[in-house]
Amino acid sequence: MAALWGSTLVVMKGAYAHMSPQNLLACRFILAAAAFGIVFPKAWRTDMRTITKGVVLGVLFAAGQLLQGIGLGTTQAAANGFIASLYVVFTPLLTAVIFRKKVSNAVWGAVALAIVGMGILALDSSSLTNGFGVGQLLTLASALAYAAHIVATGRFANPSNVASLGLYQTITVAVVCTIAALPGGLSIPTHMEDWLALAYLAIICGTLTTFMQSWGQARVESTRAAVIMCTEPLWGAIFAVGLGGEALTGRIIIGGIAVLAAMALVVRPPRRRRGVPQHHAESPRPHIDPAWAPRLGMDRML
């Protein structure tokens, strides 16, 4: 999912030449919601509680997208991406404050490594600005919205509601982004390359990644998920070098190593204590209601 998110930077760069950020987001998530409903037809049938959770997640994610897009108007792209990626710091803070959950030293170390890596990847002498203005504040607010979305997804998602949660989240994002785009006018792409870009952003980097996040966070705690997600700038750099023709610099290599080290630190298996059998040291499997068990196979969900 992080790799797919990273690929959007190259794709959106071309699409912004013909569409405003708000318009592109609206078209992207309208198409993503339609695709979600077609691919997962059974996801429409769910209880009101799951729908409400999906709406909450949609509002949080749409707020992050819009705040970052608006902040990009007065902030350089590199600084914008780095500030938005600070959700990796806000996520453990929100988890600790809201749920009174202790964050391990290993995870805090991974957060520090991730910040260093993202800073090296995103910032250079040409991207530094004079002062911290409105654009930077809006982008910082987007990071907080993303962190709240990650924490809420970890709280709401379970193996039985992944598809429905993703569907109603995507519908909500589409509605919010459409409302935001209406003042500037809502229009569809007029170039074939823009349609191809929109299809990729909507179906692969919208429908698919939303499902992947809900499915993954039903099994991975929010703080660890945030650190893994922060590999997005690294993947963005890889795609920029491989597809965008940008130069591979020492800054990209060093920053990438730091981000990968952070990810390795949080995804490593727990250390087995001496004298404790291996099966006791394993993390407990998520509890699944037997009534939902037949619905968990992909062939049953399609």
Side-chain angles (χ1 to χ4, degrees), residues 74 76 79 125-134 136:
T74 55
Q76 291 184 339
S125 58
S126 62
S127 66
L128 298 177
T129 58
N130 296 323
F132 204 81
V134 175
Q136 287 88 341

Side-chain angles (χ1 to χ4, degrees), residues 90-171:
F90 290 138
T91 298
L93 290 176
L94 287 177
T95 301
V97 171
I98 297 175
F99 303 121
R100 301 179 183 276
K101 185 176 180 180
K102 183 179 179 180
V103 180
S104 68
N105 292 332
V107 171
W108 280 120
V111 168
L113 271 174
I115 294 172
V116 171
M118 289 185 297
I120 294 173
L121 282 170
L123 298 177
D124 57 27
S125 58
S126 62
S127 66
L128 298 177
T129 58
N130 296 323
F132 204 81
V134 175
Q136 287 88 341
L137 287 173
L138 290 174
T139 308
L140 188 64
S142 78
L144 186 59
Y146 288 141
H149 175 264
I150 293 171
V151 172
T153 301
R155 188 71 170 179
F156 295 160
N158 61 67
S160 65
N161 70 358
V162 167
S164 296
L165 198 67
L167 172 63
Y168 288 99
Q169 172 184 328
T170 309
I171 292 174

